[in-house]
Amino acid sequence: MGLLDSIDLNKLPKHVAIIMDGNGRWAKERGEDRVYGHHEGVVSVREIVNASAEIGIKYLTLYAFSAENWNRPKEEVDALMELLVNTIRKETDELDKNNVRLSIIGDFASLPLICQKELNEAMDLTAKNTGLNLILALSYSSRREIADAARKIALDVVAGKLQPGDINENSFKNYLYTSAFPDPELMIRTSGEYRISNYLLYQLAYAELYFTNKHWPDFRKNDLIDALLNYQQRERRFGKTSEQIQKNTPQHV
Ligand code: FPP
């Protein structure tokens, strides 16, 4: 029996979010430039996207570039944008063939025009696909997303489309970039850092957090399976007691 067979397909998280950390350190450990690590990181991206689709995960969100990443040296930012364009250009047909639908969250307008063009074409091409939803967080800041949501709500209130009394946890969600997606049940961060780093702060409220020391370029299919197996051993209580959960509710629904 392979590792894959040990996964309980009835207890899969619908949505897995990943902070792909450690490309730079992975490269430095090999005496290479940081950009080499990002290139190897793309190999992991490809493998994890394919494995997620194969396992039956419905939503996969990857933190590919944070709003704060614009502050990195210009050569690294340029290399990452070029890598993004080339990767999208090269992989879109394969994504489409595998029934993957691509979406973006973040400050799309801040991306170079060539990135916007490639991403728009890839999103259009894959828009009808019904398999894995691959969501790339690009130029993404969760605090900005929440502030944007507050601004959009204020505008709707001023326009008379929304009553202040109707603003609650659920209606708030409709104003986030992720309004079309369920909240992640599992968040994975590689490279031994124990931080959320301005990622999906509202959406991760009840997510199980999984940290591994592996750097992103070393994180492959079996590591994803390990994370899923670990997730399946957790008891998700949502504030209730263990006894209540075991008596009343099947887990992981
Ligand atoms: C974090 O490692 C990684 C990034 C900031 C970029 C992630 C990008 C990729 C994996 C490649 C492009 C992605 C797609 C979807 C085509 P780091 O540079 O912060 O590593 P460090 O913490 O060791 O310095």
Side-chain angles (χ1 to χ4, degrees):
M1 188 165 109
L3 202 50
L4 189 58
D5 301 317
S6 9
I7 296 181
D8 181 347
L9 295 180
N10 296 314
K11 286 187 186 173
L12 276 182
K14 270 202 202 72
H15 187 168
V16 177
I18 305 185
I19 300 180
M20 310 181 287
D21 197 10
N23 293 350
R25 275 164 285 172
W26 184 91
K28 289 275 163 220
E29 282 168 13
R30 285 156 182 80
E32 297 282 355
D33 186 76
R34 297 176 51 81
V35 172
Y36 178 68
H38 296 316
H39 278 89
E40 281 303 305
V42 171
V43 181
S44 292
V45 168
R46 190 182 303 116
E47 186 162 324
I48 295 307
V49 169
N50 288 339
S52 300
E54 181 192 347
I55 292 167
I57 289 163
K58 287 301 292 178
Y59 299 86
L60 175 69
T61 301
L62 301 178
Y63 206 175
F65 193 84
S66 73
E68 293 78 16
N69 285 152
W70 291 114
N71 298 321
R72 291 194 173 193
K74 185 177 179 317
E75 311 77 69
E76 183 171 345
V77 171
D78 289 349
L80 273 167
M81 291 300 141
E82 194 183 326
L83 186 59
L84 180 67
V85 169
N86 290 341
T87 305
I88 296 297
R89 206 172 268 162
K90 218 166 95 195
E91 302 292 336
T92 300
D93 283 345
E94 189 71 13
L95 292 179
D96 190 39
K97 222 187 292 161
N98 291 335
N99 201 20
V100 175
R101 179 179 182 177
L102 180 71
S103 305
I104 306 297
I105 55 171
D107 183 6
F108 193 71
S110 69
L111 297 171
L113 288 178
I114 178 72
C115 283
Q116 294 186 31
K117 179 175 169 290
E118 287 298 329
L119 290 164
N120 271 328
E121 283 175 14
M123 286 191 284
D124 285 349
L125 185 78
T126 61
K128 299 242 155 46
N129 291 343
T130 55
L132 173 71
N133 283 276
L134 171 62
I135 303 147
L136 296 184
L138 286 169
S139 193
Y140 175 82
S141 152
S142 185
R143 285 185 169 178
R144 193 175 301 165
E145 175 185 29
I146 292 169
D148 281 352
R151 189 180 330 101
K152 287 185 234 161
I153 287 172
L155 288 170
D156 274 1
V157 169
V158 169
K161 292 186 202 159
L162 184 71
Q163 297 305 310
D166 292 335
I167 303 168
N168 55 42
E169 287 164 53
N170 284 325
S171 61
F172 194 90
K173 278 187 185 179
N174 297 329
Y175 290 85
L176 294 170
Y177 306 154
T178 52
S179 57
F181 316 125
D183 288 343
E185 297 100 326
L186 172 64
M187 197 288 287
I188 299 170
R189 182 172 189 149
T190 59
S191 211
E193 306 292 351
Y194 299 86
R195 287 190 292 276
I196 303 290
S197 298
N198 206 5
Y199 190 43
L200 302 171
L201 300 179
Y202 196 91
Q203 299 88 336
L204 291 178
Y206 282 103
E208 298 296 327
L209 307 182
Y210 179 85
F211 299 96
T212 167
N213 286 332
K214 282 205 176 174
H215 296 317
W216 177 250
D218 286 330
F219 190 87
R220 296 297 164 93
K221 182 177 176 179
N222 277 350
D223 302 295
L224 175 67
I225 295 174
D226 279 345
L228 292 171
L229 290 174
N230 182 288
Y231 167 84
Q232 295 191 332
Q233 284 157 17
R234 311 250 184 123
E235 182 182 64
R236 307 194 71 217
R237 290 206 290 271
F238 302 99
K240 293 184 182 170
T241 66
S242 187
E243 291 73 21
Q244 284 176 300
I245 297 294
Q246 277 161 28
K247 203 160 103 198
N248 295 325
T249 350
Q251 280 185 51
H252 302 275
V253 286

